[in-house]
Amino acid sequence: MTRISLFLLYSLGYLLLNNALFAQPNFSKETLEQRQLDFVNLGFGMFIHYGMPTFMEQDWSDPNAPLELFKSPKLNADQWAKAAKSANMSYGCLTTKHHSGFPIWNTKTTDYNVMNTPLHRDVVKEFTEAFRKNGLRVMLYYSILDMHQGIRPHTITKAHIQLIKDQLTELLTQYGEIDALVIDGWDAPWSRISYDDVPFDDIYHLVKSLQPKCLLMDLNSAKYPGDALFYTDIKSYEQGAGQFISKEHNKLPAMACLPLQQNWFWKKSFPTTAVKDVKELVEKFVIPYNNAYCNFMLNVAPNSDGQMDQNALEALKTIGTLYKKTPSYNALPSYQAPILDHNIANQVPSNSSWSEDMSIMDFANDDNFGSAWVSNPSAMGEVWYELDFERSKTFNTIVITEGKDNPATYTVTYLKDGKWYTLSTTPVVQGRIKIFRFDEVMGQKLRFSIQPKNKRAVLHEVGVYQERR
């Protein structure tokens, strides 16, 4: 074997070993909690929606828009960063790909990307370099929904899932440390792509294997209640979609976002249209939210030239005179680790004691937190609810979402090989949610004996999971 062959073999082995080590999911509960605290303490940052919609007067652009449209002759990410600093922001978050499916980085996964436009520049690279140069942290936004690639309800294939993984791998290996990845278009009522269609736990653990310190936050507050972290490291609220955090009751690490202008992406009317009242933004939202463990992300849309309009720049400078200090929490209130895995109780056969006529047992595991099973207060004897997996399943977590004014206590048993066993575990209570975590068991059925405190038991959702630990 020649010296060159030996060198190549050694190099290949070294590369494979490094990759194998790099791919291990070596994040921990302590790492996650520290990053959640760090994120809350960042306080205030800039969301930047820039992409094909910038050139189309639409927030959702034509998924097959001509690449020739994408021209920004004065693109200047350094201007964006300095504008963020003028508002005393601590980070920026850029839309790398919105719902129509146009990546603004140098991707190898599709020819439909920014490098094949007249701009022919890697915008993600310029953004990350400019913000870091100006002492700001870096976050990225990514849409699972991708109309150009056909990643939409009822059409998703294994190739689509691999494309998502490949694109996220590019974003998390080519642009240095990414503090957070904001995910959109996934398990929202309007996107209708479930966490089973595109497996959440696989994507989540891929992100953590590539960058263990990177937070993953999914914009899913339209569906999931605010008492626990369902499928996200940070509870995220899109205020423009009517999602508002409870400043009085929130105990979770959170993020809220809102555009400074009238829309997320730039429109031709923006330079001559007043932006939102910045005094109200700071005094009504940013500061009070910071006082409720919530980071505020204000969107500013660059124009078709690739720069921010003068009225937006002036507004940001004014904000800098009003917002002076980021939070300085030493710790956050106690909360349970995120629920990340496939819900094996979803849509399985269920049964119960006598219920209200319009609130039968199916509503407690229909993947809809707006519906509920409600026990009938006239029922004689035990109040109970049961799930039948039809074949034995392993599980180590149960999550019960109750009615807000209908707490109850539960005795949980499971059927294994024809015999019932009791789960001797006490749930952690977070608002109206009870989270049971325990050592793995196997069972064909789960039964909840319920003692309602206010006459009725109300179960909005019962989730059962086999968590990776």
Side-chain angles (χ1 to χ4, degrees):
M1 186 177 288
T2 67
R3 182 176 298 178
I4 293 176
S5 299
L6 284 169
F7 176 78
L8 289 174
L9 185 62
Y10 172 82
S11 299
L12 178 61
Y14 180 81
L15 179 62
L16 290 172
L17 177 60
N18 259 8
N19 285 344
L21 292 172
F22 191 55
Q24 297 303 309
N26 59 342
F27 65 98
S28 64
K29 179 176 181 287
E30 292 73 25
T31 297
L32 176 58
E33 290 179 349
Q34 183 60 52
R35 297 301 280 189
Q36 289 166 323
L37 175 63
D38 292 344
F39 176 80
V40 170
N41 281 334
L42 286 175
F44 186 35
M46 179 181 283
F47 214 168
I48 302 170
H49 276 61
Y50 173 74
M52 192 61 81
T54 304
F55 303 87
M56 298 200 71
E57 291 291 296
Q58 303 273 343
D59 272 3
W60 286 37
S61 61
D62 180 347
N64 296 301
L67 294 172
E68 292 73 22
L69 288 176
F70 206 89
K71 303 174 183 176
S72 285
K74 299 178 182 178
L75 177 68
N76 186 352
D78 190 66
Q79 186 219 34
W80 307 350
K82 286 182 167 56
K85 282 187 73 74
S86 76
N88 286 325
M89 294 173 168
S90 54
Y91 65 90
C93 179
L94 176 69
T95 55
T96 65
K97 186 190 72 170
H98 201 246
H99 310 318
S100 297
F102 177 75
I104 59 171
W105 75 92
N106 186 11
T107 179
K108 301 298 187 291
T109 62
T110 174
D111 292 335
Y112 191 71
N113 70 72
V114 70
M115 301 307 290
N116 294 317
T117 70
L119 178 64
H120 192 68
R121 289 159 61 183
D122 186 331
V123 182
V124 173
K125 182 175 186 292
E126 295 188 22
F127 158 77
T128 56
E129 290 177 350
F131 272 67
R132 290 194 185 104
K133 184 181 73 174
N134 283 277
L136 298 165
R137 307 279 277 273
V138 168
M139 303 177 192
L140 302 175
Y141 163 108
Y142 178 90
S143 173
I144 295 293
L145 179 69
D146 184 327
M147 297 299 289
H148 181 80
Q149 298 290 345
I151 304 176
R152 53 185 173 80
H154 314 301
T155 68
I156 295 170
T157 66
K158 290 181 180 179
H160 286 143
I161 295 169
Q162 189 59 51
L163 182 138
I164 291 168
K165 291 179 178 179
D166 290 344
Q167 290 188 341
L168 291 175
T169 298
E170 287 179 342
L171 290 172
L172 294 173
T173 58
Q174 296 178 7
Y175 302 100
E177 183 176 349
I178 305 301
D179 284 87
L181 188 66
V182 178
I183 301 289
D184 200 4
W186 202 6
D187 210 37
W190 51 269
S191 75
R192 297 172 293 124
I193 298 173
S194 77
Y195 292 137
D196 291 330
D197 295 332
V198 176
F200 183 90
D201 53 337
D202 282 358
I203 300 298
Y204 183 88
H205 287 275
L206 171 67
V207 169
K208 299 297 183 177
S209 72
L210 296 172
Q211 292 211 26
K213 295 180 180 179
C214 179
L215 296 169
L216 189 152
M217 60 183 86
D218 192 15
L219 298 174
N220 64 11
S221 290
K223 177 176 178 178
Y224 292 94
D227 305 82
L229 294 172
F230 286 93
Y231 302 100
T232 188
D233 289 334
I234 302 291
K235 193 65 187 174
S236 304
Y237 298 86
E238 186 180 334
Q239 296 195 168
Q243 302 162 20
F244 291 88
I245 191 171
S246 170
K247 291 176 283 191
E248 295 75 26
H249 300 107
N250 178 60
K251 302 299 180 185
L252 297 174
M255 182 275 284
C257 56
L258 192 69
L260 174 66
Q261 295 130 320
Q262 289 70 42
N263 303 83
W264 293 102
F265 286 93
W266 185 81
K267 307 291 181 286
K268 292 177 182 176
S269 62
F270 278 12
T272 56
T273 303
V275 300
K276 288 183 175 66
D277 184 318
V278 294
K279 189 172 187 291
E280 181 181 19
L281 277 174
V282 173
E283 295 180 356
K284 184 178 178 180
F285 296 111
V286 185
I287 293 175
Y289 282 15
N290 279 184
N291 292 334
Y293 315 108
C294 182
N295 184 315
F296 196 87
M297 198 178 290
L298 183 66
N299 188 77
V300 187
N303 60 33
S304 57
D305 279 342
Q307 297 193 7
M308 292 178 175
D309 293 327
Q310 189 60 35
N311 56 354
L313 295 174
E314 291 172 1
L316 290 167
K317 287 180 181 178
T318 303
I319 288 173
T321 68
L322 301 170
Y323 183 83
K324 293 292 188 181
K325 187 179 179 183
T326 57
S328 55
Y329 293 107
N330 293 318
L332 299 177
S334 178
Y335 54 90
Q336 284 285 287
I339 297 143
L340 306 172
D341 295 88
H342 166 67
N343 178 9
I344 66 173
N346 185 22
Q347 310 287 349
V348 304
S350 58
N351 204 355
S352 73
S353 55
W354 188 18
S355 62
E356 295 282 14
D357 292 347
M358 303 298 289
S359 302
I360 61 175
M361 63 287 294
D362 309 68
F363 290 123
N365 67 324
D366 63 350
D367 199 34
N368 181 356
F369 289 86
S371 63
W373 168 73
V374 182
S375 69
N376 194 309
S378 300
M380 303 293 290
E382 182 186 47
V383 177
W384 57 273
Y385 179 81
E386 191 174 277
L387 295 167
D388 186 352
F389 303 125
E390 298 186 326
R391 60 179 296 178
S392 294
K393 301 280 187 180
T394 56
F395 50 93
N396 57 16
T397 302
I398 298 169
V399 180
I400 296 174
T401 303
E402 300 177 319
K404 289 184 179 179
D405 300 314
N406 298 92
T409 56
Y410 302 85
T411 300
V412 184
T413 56
Y414 61 97
L415 180 67
K416 179 183 178 182
D417 300 331
K419 185 178 179 180
W420 288 95
Y421 299 87
T422 300
L423 272 178
S424 56
T425 183
T426 303
V428 175
V429 180
Q430 289 187 187
R432 63 191 178 111
I433 294 176
K434 290 181 167 67
I435 302 175
F436 300 77
R437 283 187 162 110
F438 44 88
D439 292 336
E440 177 186 295
V441 298
M442 176 183 287
Q444 179 184 331
K445 291 184 179 182
L446 259 178
R447 185 182 176 95
F448 303 85
S449 299
I450 307 171
Q451 297 80 47
K453 294 187 178 178
N454 294 327
K455 296 184 179 179
R456 291 177 174 84
V458 178
L459 301 183
H460 282 276
E461 279 296 308
V462 177
V464 182
Y465 312 86
Q466 173 61 25
E467 292 187 327
R468 302 189 198 186
R469 293 180 187 163

